[in-house]
Coordinates of all heavy atoms in Angstrom, one line a residue:
Y1 N 57.2 28.5 58.1 CA 56.5 28.1 56.9 C 56.2 26.7 56.9 O 55.2 26.3 56.2 CB 57.3 28.5 55.7 CG 57.5 30.0 55.6 CD1 58.8 30.5 55.6 CD2 56.4 30.9 55.4 CE1 59.0 31.9 55.5 CE2 56.6 32.2 55.3 CZ 57.9 32.7 55.3 OH 58.1 34.1 55.2
K2 N 56.9 25.9 57.6 CA 56.7 24.4 57.5 C 55.3 24.0 58.0 O 54.8 23.0 57.4 CB 57.7 23.7 58.3 CG 59.1 23.7 57.6 CD 60.1 22.8 58.4 CE 61.4 22.8 57.7 NZ 62.4 22.0 58.4
N3 N 54.8 24.6 59.0 CA 53.5 24.2 59.5 C 52.6 25.4 59.6 O 52.0 25.7 60.6 CB 53.7 23.5 60.9 CG 52.4 22.8 61.3 OD1 51.6 22.4 60.5 ND2 52.3 22.5 62.6
G4 N 52.4 26.1 58.5 CA 51.6 27.3 58.5 C 50.1 27.0 58.6 O 49.7 25.8 58.4
N5 N 49.3 28.0 58.9 CA 47.9 27.8 59.1 C 47.1 27.8 57.8 O 45.9 27.5 57.7 CB 47.3 28.8 60.1 CG 47.9 28.6 61.5 OD1 48.2 27.5 61.8 ND2 48.0 29.6 62.2
V6 N 47.7 28.4 56.7 CA 47.0 28.5 55.4 C 47.8 27.8 54.4 O 49.0 27.8 54.3 CB 47.0 30.0 55.0 CG1 46.3 30.2 53.7 CG2 46.2 30.8 56.1
L7 N 47.1 27.0 53.6 CA 47.6 26.3 52.4 C 47.0 26.8 51.2 O 45.7 26.7 51.0 CB 47.4 24.8 52.6 CG 47.9 23.9 51.5 CD1 49.4 24.0 51.3 CD2 47.5 22.5 51.8
L8 N 47.8 27.4 50.3 CA 47.3 27.9 49.0 C 47.6 26.9 47.9 O 48.8 26.6 47.7 CB 47.9 29.3 48.7 CG 47.6 29.9 47.4 CD1 46.1 30.2 47.2 CD2 48.4 31.1 47.1
V9 N 46.7 26.4 47.2 CA 46.9 25.5 46.1 C 46.3 26.2 44.8 O 45.1 26.5 44.8 CB 46.4 24.1 46.3 CG1 47.2 23.4 47.4 CG2 44.9 24.1 46.7
D10 N 47.1 26.3 43.8 CA 46.6 26.9 42.5 C 46.5 25.9 41.4 O 47.5 25.4 41.0 CB 47.6 28.0 42.2 CG 47.2 28.9 41.0 OD1 46.0 28.7 40.5 OD2 47.9 29.7 40.6
E11 N 45.3 25.6 41.0 CA 45.0 24.6 40.0 C 45.7 23.3 40.3 O 46.4 22.7 39.5 CB 45.5 25.1 38.6 CG 44.7 26.3 38.1 CD 43.2 26.0 37.7 OE1 42.8 24.8 37.6 OE2 42.5 27.0 37.6
P12 N 45.5 22.7 41.5 CA 46.2 21.5 41.9 C 45.8 20.3 41.1 O 46.5 19.3 41.1 CB 45.8 21.4 43.4 CG 44.5 22.0 43.5 CD 44.6 23.2 42.5
F13 N 44.6 20.3 40.4 CA 44.1 19.2 39.7 C 44.1 19.3 38.2 O 43.5 18.5 37.5 CB 42.7 18.9 40.2 CG 42.6 18.9 41.7 CD1 41.7 19.8 42.3 CD2 43.4 18.1 42.5 CE1 41.6 19.8 43.7 CE2 43.3 18.1 43.9 CZ 42.4 19.0 44.5
S14 N 44.8 20.3 37.7 CA 44.7 20.6 36.2 C 45.3 19.5 35.3 O 44.9 19.4 34.2 CB 45.3 21.9 35.9 OG 46.7 21.9 36.2
S15 N 46.3 18.7 35.8 CA 47.0 17.8 34.9 C 47.0 16.4 35.5 O 47.9 15.6 35.2 CB 48.4 18.3 34.6 OG 48.4 19.5 34.0
I16 N 46.0 16.0 36.3 CA 46.0 14.7 36.9 C 44.7 14.0 36.6 O 43.7 14.6 36.3 CB 46.3 14.7 38.4 CG1 45.3 15.6 39.1 CG2 47.7 15.2 38.6 CD1 45.5 15.5 40.6
D17 N 44.7 12.7 36.7 CA 43.5 11.9 36.5 C 42.5 12.0 37.6 O 42.8 12.5 38.7 CB 43.8 10.4 36.2 CG 44.5 9.8 37.4 OD1 43.7 9.3 38.3 OD2 45.7 9.8 37.5
K18 N 41.3 11.7 37.4 CA 40.2 11.8 38.3 C 40.4 11.1 39.6 O 40.2 11.7 40.7 CB 38.9 11.4 37.7 CG 37.6 11.6 38.5 CD 37.3 13.1 38.4 CE 35.9 13.3 39.0 NZ 35.6 14.7 39.2
K19 N 40.9 9.9 39.6 CA 41.2 9.1 40.8 C 42.2 9.8 41.7 O 42.0 9.9 42.9 CB 41.6 7.7 40.4 CG 41.8 6.8 41.6 CD 42.2 5.4 41.3 CE 42.4 4.6 42.5 NZ 42.8 3.2 42.1
T20 N 43.3 10.3 41.1 CA 44.3 11.0 41.8 C 43.8 12.3 42.4 O 44.1 12.6 43.5 CB 45.6 11.2 41.0 OG1 46.0 10.0 40.4 CG2 46.7 11.9 41.7
Q21 N 43.0 13.0 41.6 CA 42.4 14.2 42.1 C 41.6 13.9 43.4 O 41.7 14.7 44.3 CB 41.5 14.8 41.0 CG 40.7 16.0 41.6 CD 39.7 16.6 40.6 OE1 39.8 16.3 39.4 NE2 38.7 17.4 41.0
E22 N 40.7 12.9 43.3 CA 39.9 12.6 44.5 C 40.8 12.3 45.7 O 40.5 12.7 46.8 CB 39.0 11.4 44.2 CG 37.9 11.8 43.2 CD 37.1 10.5 42.7 OE1 37.4 9.4 43.1 OE2 36.2 10.7 41.9
Q23 N 41.9 11.6 45.5 CA 42.7 11.2 46.7 C 43.4 12.5 47.3 O 43.4 12.6 48.5 CB 43.8 10.2 46.2 CG 43.3 8.9 45.8 CD 44.3 8.0 45.2 OE1 45.4 8.4 44.7 NE2 44.0 6.7 45.2
I24 N 43.9 13.3 46.4 CA 44.5 14.6 46.9 C 43.5 15.5 47.6 O 43.8 16.0 48.6 CB 45.2 15.3 45.7 CG1 46.4 14.4 45.3 CG2 45.7 16.7 46.2 CD1 47.1 14.9 44.0
E25 N 42.3 15.6 47.0 CA 41.3 16.5 47.6 C 40.9 16.0 48.9 O 40.7 16.7 49.9 CB 40.2 16.7 46.6 CG 39.3 17.9 47.0 CD 38.7 18.6 45.8 OE1 38.5 18.0 44.8 OE2 38.4 19.8 46.0
K26 N 40.7 14.7 49.0 CA 40.3 14.1 50.3 C 41.4 14.4 51.4 O 41.1 14.7 52.5 CB 40.2 12.6 50.2 CG 38.9 12.2 49.6 CD 38.7 10.7 49.6 CE 37.5 10.2 48.8 NZ 37.4 8.8 48.7
M27 N 42.7 14.3 51.0 CA 43.8 14.6 51.9 C 43.8 16.0 52.3 O 43.9 16.4 53.5 CB 45.1 14.2 51.2 CG 46.3 14.3 52.1 SD 47.1 16.0 52.2 CE 47.4 16.4 50.5
L28 N 43.6 16.9 51.3 CA 43.5 18.4 51.6 C 42.4 18.7 52.6 O 42.6 19.4 53.6 CB 43.4 19.2 50.4 CG 44.6 19.3 49.4 CD1 44.2 20.0 48.1 CD2 45.7 20.1 50.1
L29 N 41.2 18.1 52.3 CA 40.1 18.4 53.2 C 40.2 17.7 54.5 O 39.4 18.1 55.5 CB 38.8 18.0 52.4 CG 38.5 18.9 51.2 CD1 37.4 18.2 50.4 CD2 38.1 20.3 51.6
S30 N 41.0 16.8 54.7 CA 41.2 16.1 56.0 C 42.1 16.9 56.9 O 42.2 16.6 58.1 CB 41.7 14.7 55.8 OG 43.1 14.7 55.4
L31 N 42.9 17.9 56.4 CA 43.8 18.6 57.3 C 43.0 19.4 58.3 O 42.1 20.2 58.0 CB 44.7 19.5 56.4 CG 45.6 18.9 55.4 CD1 46.2 19.9 54.5 CD2 46.6 18.0 56.1
E32 N 43.4 19.2 59.5 CA 42.7 19.9 60.6 C 43.4 21.2 60.9 O 44.7 21.3 60.8 CB 42.6 19.0 61.9 CG 41.8 17.8 61.6 CD 41.7 17.0 62.9 OE1 42.1 17.4 64.0 OE2 41.2 15.8 62.7
D33 N 42.7 22.2 61.4 CA 43.2 23.5 61.8 C 44.0 24.2 60.7 O 45.0 24.9 60.9 CB 44.1 23.3 63.0 CG 43.4 22.8 64.2 OD1 42.2 23.2 64.4 OD2 43.9 22.0 65.0
K34 N 43.6 24.0 59.4 CA 44.2 24.6 58.3 C 43.1 25.3 57.5 O 42.0 24.9 57.3 CB 44.9 23.6 57.4 CG 45.9 22.8 58.0 CD 47.2 23.6 58.3 CE 48.2 22.6 58.9 NZ 49.3 23.4 59.5
T35 N 43.5 26.5 56.9 CA 42.6 27.1 55.9 C 43.2 26.8 54.6 O 44.4 27.0 54.3 CB 42.7 28.7 56.1 OG1 42.2 29.0 57.4 CG2 41.9 29.4 55.0
I36 N 42.3 26.2 53.7 CA 42.7 25.8 52.4 C 42.1 26.7 51.4 O 40.9 26.9 51.3 CB 42.2 24.3 52.1 CG1 42.6 23.3 53.2 CG2 42.8 23.9 50.7 CD1 44.0 23.1 53.4
L37 N 43.0 27.4 50.6 CA 42.5 28.2 49.5 C 42.8 27.5 48.2 O 44.0 27.3 47.8 CB 43.3 29.6 49.5 CG 43.1 30.4 50.8 CD1 44.0 31.6 50.7 CD2 41.6 30.8 50.9
N38 N 41.8 27.0 47.6 CA 41.9 26.1 46.4 C 41.5 27.0 45.2 O 40.3 27.3 45.0 CB 41.1 24.9 46.5 CG 41.2 24.0 45.3 OD1 41.8 24.3 44.3 ND2 40.6 22.8 45.5
I39 N 42.5 27.4 44.4 CA 42.2 28.2 43.2 C 42.0 27.3 42.0 O 42.9 26.5 41.7 CB 43.3 29.2 42.9 CG1 43.5 30.1 44.1 CG2 43.0 30.0 41.7 CD1 44.7 30.9 44.1
S40 N 40.8 27.4 41.4 CA 40.5 26.4 40.3 C 39.5 27.0 39.4 O 38.7 27.8 39.7 CB 40.0 25.1 40.9 OG 39.7 24.2 39.9
H41 N 39.6 26.6 38.1 CA 38.6 26.9 37.1 C 37.5 25.9 37.0 O 36.5 26.1 36.4 CB 39.3 27.0 35.7 CG 40.2 28.2 35.6 ND1 41.5 28.2 35.9 CD2 39.9 29.5 35.2 CE1 42.0 29.4 35.7 NE2 41.0 30.2 35.3
S42 N 37.7 24.8 37.7 CA 36.6 23.8 37.7 C 36.6 23.2 39.1 O 37.4 23.3 39.9 CB 37.0 22.7 36.7 OG 38.2 22.1 37.0
Y43 N 35.5 22.5 39.3 CA 35.3 21.8 40.6 C 34.4 20.6 40.5 O 33.7 20.5 39.5 CB 34.6 22.8 41.6 CG 33.3 23.4 41.1 CD1 32.1 22.8 41.4 CD2 33.3 24.6 40.4 CE1 31.0 23.3 40.9 CE2 32.1 25.2 40.0 CZ 31.0 24.5 40.2 OH 29.8 25.0 39.8
D44 N 34.5 19.8 41.5 CA 33.7 18.5 41.5 C 32.6 18.8 42.6 O 32.9 19.1 43.7 CB 34.6 17.4 41.9 CG 33.9 16.0 41.9 OD1 32.7 16.0 42.4 OD2 34.5 15.1 41.4
E45 N 31.4 18.6 42.2 CA 30.3 18.8 43.1 C 30.4 18.0 44.4 O 29.9 18.3 45.4 CB 28.9 18.7 42.4 CG 28.6 19.8 41.5 CD 27.2 19.7 41.0 OE1 26.4 18.9 41.4 OE2 26.9 20.5 40.0
N46 N 30.9 16.8 44.2 CA 31.1 15.9 45.4 C 32.0 16.5 46.4 O 31.8 16.2 47.6 CB 31.6 14.5 45.0 CG 30.6 13.8 44.1 OD1 29.4 13.9 44.3 ND2 31.1 13.1 43.1
F47 N 33.0 17.2 46.0 CA 33.9 17.8 47.0 C 33.6 19.2 47.4 O 33.8 19.6 48.5 CB 35.3 17.7 46.4 CG 35.9 16.4 46.5 CD1 36.0 15.6 45.4 CD2 36.4 15.8 47.7 CE1 36.5 14.3 45.4 CE2 36.9 14.6 47.7 CZ 36.9 13.8 46.6
I48 N 32.9 20.0 46.5 CA 32.6 21.4 46.8 C 31.7 21.5 48.0 O 31.8 22.4 48.8 CB 32.0 22.1 45.6 CG1 32.2 23.6 45.7 CG2 30.6 21.7 45.4 CD1 33.4 24.2 45.3
R49 N 30.9 20.5 48.2 CA 30.0 20.5 49.4 C 30.8 20.5 50.7 O 30.3 20.8 51.8 CB 29.1 19.2 49.4 CG 28.1 19.3 48.3 CD 27.2 18.0 48.3 NE 26.4 18.0 47.2 CZ 25.2 18.7 47.0 NH1 24.9 19.5 48.0 NH2 24.5 18.6 45.9
Q50 N 32.1 20.1 50.7 CA 32.9 20.0 51.9 C 33.6 21.3 52.2 O 34.2 21.5 53.3 CB 33.9 18.9 51.8 CG 33.2 17.5 51.6 CD 34.1 16.4 51.5 OE1 35.0 16.2 52.3 NE2 34.0 15.6 50.4
Y51 N 33.6 22.2 51.3 CA 34.3 23.5 51.5 C 33.3 24.5 52.2 O 32.1 24.3 52.0 CB 34.7 24.2 50.2 CG 35.9 23.5 49.6 CD1 35.8 22.4 48.7 CD2 37.2 23.9 49.9 CE1 36.9 21.8 48.1 CE2 38.3 23.3 49.3 CZ 38.1 22.2 48.4 OH 39.2 21.6 47.9
D52 N 33.8 25.4 53.0 CA 32.9 26.3 53.7 C 32.4 27.4 52.8 O 31.3 27.9 52.9 CB 33.7 26.9 54.9 CG 34.0 25.8 55.9 OD1 33.2 24.9 56.1 OD2 35.1 25.9 56.5
Y53 N 33.3 28.0 52.0 CA 32.9 29.2 51.2 C 33.5 29.0 49.8 O 34.5 28.3 49.5 CB 33.4 30.5 51.8 CG 32.8 30.8 53.1 CD1 33.4 30.5 54.3 CD2 31.6 31.5 53.1 CE1 32.8 30.8 55.5 CE2 31.0 31.8 54.3 CZ 31.6 31.4 55.5 OH 31.0 31.7 56.7
V54 N 32.8 29.7 48.9 CA 33.3 29.8 47.5 C 33.4 31.3 47.1 O 32.5 32.1 47.4 CB 32.3 29.1 46.5 CG1 32.7 29.4 45.1 CG2 32.2 27.6 46.8
I55 N 34.5 31.7 46.5 CA 34.6 33.0 46.0 C 34.7 32.9 44.5 O 35.5 32.2 43.9 CB 35.9 33.7 46.5 CG1 35.9 33.8 48.0 CG2 36.0 35.1 45.9 CD1 37.2 34.2 48.6
H56 N 33.7 33.5 43.8 CA 33.6 33.4 42.4 C 34.0 34.7 41.8 O 33.4 35.8 42.1 CB 32.2 33.0 42.0 CG 32.0 33.0 40.5 ND1 32.4 31.9 39.7 CD2 31.5 33.9 39.6 CE1 32.1 32.2 38.5 NE2 31.5 33.4 38.4
F57 N 35.0 34.7 40.9 CA 35.5 35.9 40.2 C 34.9 35.9 38.8 O 34.9 34.8 38.1 CB 37.0 35.9 40.1 CG 37.7 36.2 41.4 CD1 38.0 35.2 42.3 CD2 38.0 37.5 41.8 CE1 38.6 35.5 43.5 CE2 38.6 37.8 43.0 CZ 38.9 36.8 43.8
E58 N 34.6 37.0 38.3 CA 34.2 37.1 36.9 C 34.8 38.4 36.3 O 34.6 39.5 36.9 CB 32.6 37.2 36.8 CG 32.1 37.2 35.4 CD 30.6 37.2 35.3 OE1 30.0 36.5 36.1 OE2 30.1 38.1 34.6
K59 N 35.6 38.2 35.4 CA 36.4 39.3 34.7 C 37.1 40.2 35.8 O 37.2 41.4 35.8 CB 35.4 40.2 33.9 CG 34.8 39.5 32.8 CD 33.9 40.4 32.0 CE 33.3 39.6 30.8 NZ 32.4 40.4 30.0
G60 N 37.8 39.4 36.7 CA 38.6 40.1 37.8 C 37.9 40.7 38.9 O 38.5 41.4 39.8
I61 N 36.5 40.5 39.0 CA 35.7 41.1 40.0 C 35.1 40.0 40.8 O 34.6 39.1 40.3 CB 34.6 42.1 39.4 CG1 35.3 43.2 38.6 CG2 33.7 42.6 40.5 CD1 34.3 44.0 37.8
V62 N 35.1 40.2 42.2 CA 34.4 39.2 43.0 C 32.9 39.4 42.8 O 32.3 40.4 43.1 CB 34.8 39.4 44.5 CG1 33.9 38.5 45.4 CG2 36.2 39.2 44.7
R63 N 32.3 38.3 42.3 CA 30.8 38.3 42.0 C 30.1 37.7 43.2 O 29.0 38.0 43.5 CB 30.5 37.6 40.7 CG 31.0 38.3 39.5 CD 30.3 39.7 39.3 NE 30.8 40.3 38.1 CZ 30.6 41.6 37.8 NH1 29.8 42.3 38.6 NH2 31.1 42.1 36.7
V64 N 30.7 36.7 43.8 CA 30.0 35.9 44.8 C 31.1 35.6 45.9 O 32.1 35.0 45.6 CB 29.4 34.6 44.3 CG1 28.8 33.8 45.4 CG2 28.3 34.9 43.3
F65 N 30.8 35.9 47.1 CA 31.5 35.3 48.3 C 30.4 34.8 49.2 O 29.8 35.5 49.9 CB 32.3 36.4 49.0 CG 33.1 35.9 50.2 CD1 33.9 34.8 50.1 CD2 32.9 36.6 51.4 CE1 34.5 34.4 51.2 CE2 33.6 36.2 52.5 CZ 34.4 35.1 52.4
D66 N 30.2 33.5 49.0 CA 29.0 32.9 49.6 C 29.3 31.4 50.0 O 30.4 30.9 49.7 CB 27.9 33.0 48.6 CG 26.5 32.9 49.3 OD1 26.4 32.5 50.4 OD2 25.5 33.2 48.6
S67 N 28.3 30.8 50.5 CA 28.4 29.4 50.7 C 28.5 28.6 49.4 O 28.3 29.2 48.3 CB 27.2 28.9 51.5 OG 26.1 29.0 50.7
K68 N 28.8 27.4 49.4 CA 28.9 26.6 48.2 C 27.6 26.5 47.4 O 27.6 26.0 46.3 CB 29.4 25.2 48.5 CG 28.6 24.4 49.4 CD 29.3 24.1 50.7 CE 28.5 23.5 51.7 NZ 28.9 23.7 53.0
S69 N 26.5 27.0 47.9 CA 25.2 26.9 47.2 C 25.3 27.5 45.9 O 24.6 27.1 45.0 CB 24.1 27.5 48.1 OG 24.3 28.9 48.3
Y70 N 26.1 28.6 45.7 CA 26.3 29.2 44.4 C 26.7 28.3 43.3 O 26.1 28.3 42.3 CB 27.3 30.4 44.5 CG 27.6 31.0 43.2 CD1 26.7 31.9 42.6 CD2 28.7 30.6 42.5 CE1 27.0 32.5 41.4 CE2 29.0 31.2 41.3 CZ 28.1 32.1 40.7 OH 28.4 32.6 39.5
C71 N 27.6 27.4 43.7 CA 28.1 26.5 42.7 C 27.2 25.3 42.5 O 27.2 24.7 41.4 CB 29.5 26.0 43.1 SG 30.8 27.3 43.0
L72 N 26.5 24.9 43.5 CA 25.7 23.7 43.5 C 24.3 24.0 43.1 O 23.5 23.0 42.8 CB 25.7 23.1 44.8 CG 27.1 22.6 45.3 CD1 27.0 22.1 46.8 CD2 27.6 21.5 44.5
N73 N 23.9 25.2 43.1 CA 22.4 25.6 42.9 C 21.6 24.8 43.8 O 20.5 24.3 43.5 CB 22.0 25.3 41.4 CG 22.6 26.3 40.5 OD1 22.8 27.4 40.8 ND2 23.0 25.8 39.3
D74 N 22.1 24.7 45.0 CA 21.4 23.9 46.1 C 20.4 24.9 46.8 O 20.8 25.7 47.6 CB 22.5 23.5 47.1 CG 21.9 22.5 48.1 OD1 20.7 22.5 48.4 OD2 22.7 21.8 48.7
K75 N 19.2 24.7 46.4 CA 18.1 25.6 46.9 C 18.0 25.5 48.4 O 17.8 26.5 49.1 CB 16.8 25.4 46.2 CG 16.9 25.7 44.8 CD 15.6 25.4 44.1 CE 15.7 25.8 42.6 NZ 14.6 25.4 41.9
E76 N 18.1 24.3 49.0 CA 18.0 24.2 50.4 C 19.1 25.0 51.2 O 18.8 25.7 52.1 CB 18.1 22.7 50.8 CG 17.9 22.4 52.3 CD 18.0 21.0 52.6 OE1 17.5 20.2 51.8 OE2 18.4 20.6 53.7
D77 N 20.3 24.9 50.7 CA 21.4 25.6 51.3 C 21.2 27.1 51.2 O 21.5 27.9 52.1 CB 22.8 25.1 50.7 CG 24.0 25.7 51.5 OD1 23.8 25.9 52.7 OD2 25.0 25.8 50.9
A78 N 20.8 27.5 50.0 CA 20.6 28.9 49.7 C 19.5 29.5 50.6 O 19.6 30.6 51.1 CB 20.3 29.2 48.2
N79 N 18.4 28.7 50.8 CA 17.3 29.1 51.6 C 17.8 29.2 53.1 O 17.4 30.1 53.8 CB 16.2 28.1 51.5 CG 15.5 28.2 50.2 OD1 15.5 29.3 49.5 ND2 14.8 27.2 49.8
D80 N 18.6 28.3 53.5 CA 19.1 28.4 54.9 C 19.9 29.7 55.1 O 19.8 30.3 56.1 CB 20.0 27.2 55.2 CG 19.2 25.9 55.4 OD1 18.0 26.0 55.5 OD2 19.8 24.8 55.3
K81 N 20.7 30.0 54.1 CA 21.5 31.2 54.2 C 20.7 32.5 54.3 O 21.0 33.5 54.9 CB 22.4 31.3 53.0 CG 23.2 32.6 52.8 CD 24.7 32.3 53.1 CE 25.5 33.6 52.9 NZ 26.1 34.0 54.0
N82 N 19.5 32.5 53.6 CA 18.7 33.7 53.6 C 17.7 33.8 54.8 O 17.0 34.7 54.8 CB 17.9 33.7 52.3 CG 18.8 33.9 51.1 OD1 19.8 34.6 51.1 ND2 18.4 33.2 50.0
K83 N 17.7 32.9 55.7 CA 16.8 32.9 56.8 C 17.3 33.9 57.9 O 18.5 34.2 58.0 CB 16.7 31.5 57.5 CG 15.9 30.6 56.6 CD 15.8 29.3 57.3 CE 14.9 28.3 56.4 NZ 14.8 27.0 57.0

């Protein structure tokens, strides 16, 4: 368990200031050879671009399992996905 390949963080930024959030998220995203599952009700667009996928739940049902374009409304990324 000490050096697992998956790191699950549940609402890691819910009670901290923005500066600390940015530092922690940078550290999480810098981990190599790790799968990071970040469960959150909110996100920062500056960091969401660095994640590979977003899973969006609505009323307990998976509504979107897609690239981050869903959260960013990034038409260029969405268009690339649909090619």
Side-chain angles (χ1 to χ4, degrees):
Y1 296 119
K2 287 185 179 182
N3 195 20
N5 294 329
V6 177
L7 178 61
L8 173 67
V9 290
D10 187 3
E11 295 290 347
F13 313 120
S14 63
S15 299
I16 58 175
D17 62 89
K18 186 74 169 169
K19 183 177 179 181
T20 303
Q21 174 185 343
E22 290 173 359
Q23 292 171 342
I24 293 171
E25 196 148 23
K26 282 181 186 178
M27 185 274 307
L28 287 172
L29 291 168
S30 73
L31 297 173
E32 294 183 12
D33 299 324
K34 302 287 182 196
T35 298
I36 309 295
L37 299 173
N38 182 352
I39 300 168
S40 182
H41 286 90
S42 62
Y43 56 87
D44 183 316
E45 287 187 10
N46 295 321
F47 285 100
I48 199 84
R49 292 181 186 281
Q50 298 178 55
Y51 288 92
D52 295 324
Y53 293 96
V54 172
I55 301 171
H56 177 80
F57 289 88
E58 186 177 313
K59 297 181 181 180
I61 298 170
V62 174
R63 295 292 181 191
V64 175
F65 178 51
D66 201 348
S67 68
K68 60 240 173 209
S69 62
Y70 172 79
C71 294
L72 298 172
N73 291 324
D74 187 340
K75 293 179 182 172
E76 182 178 327
D77 191 27
N79 288 336
D80 288 345
K81 174 111 177 115
N82 293 326
K83 288 182 181 178

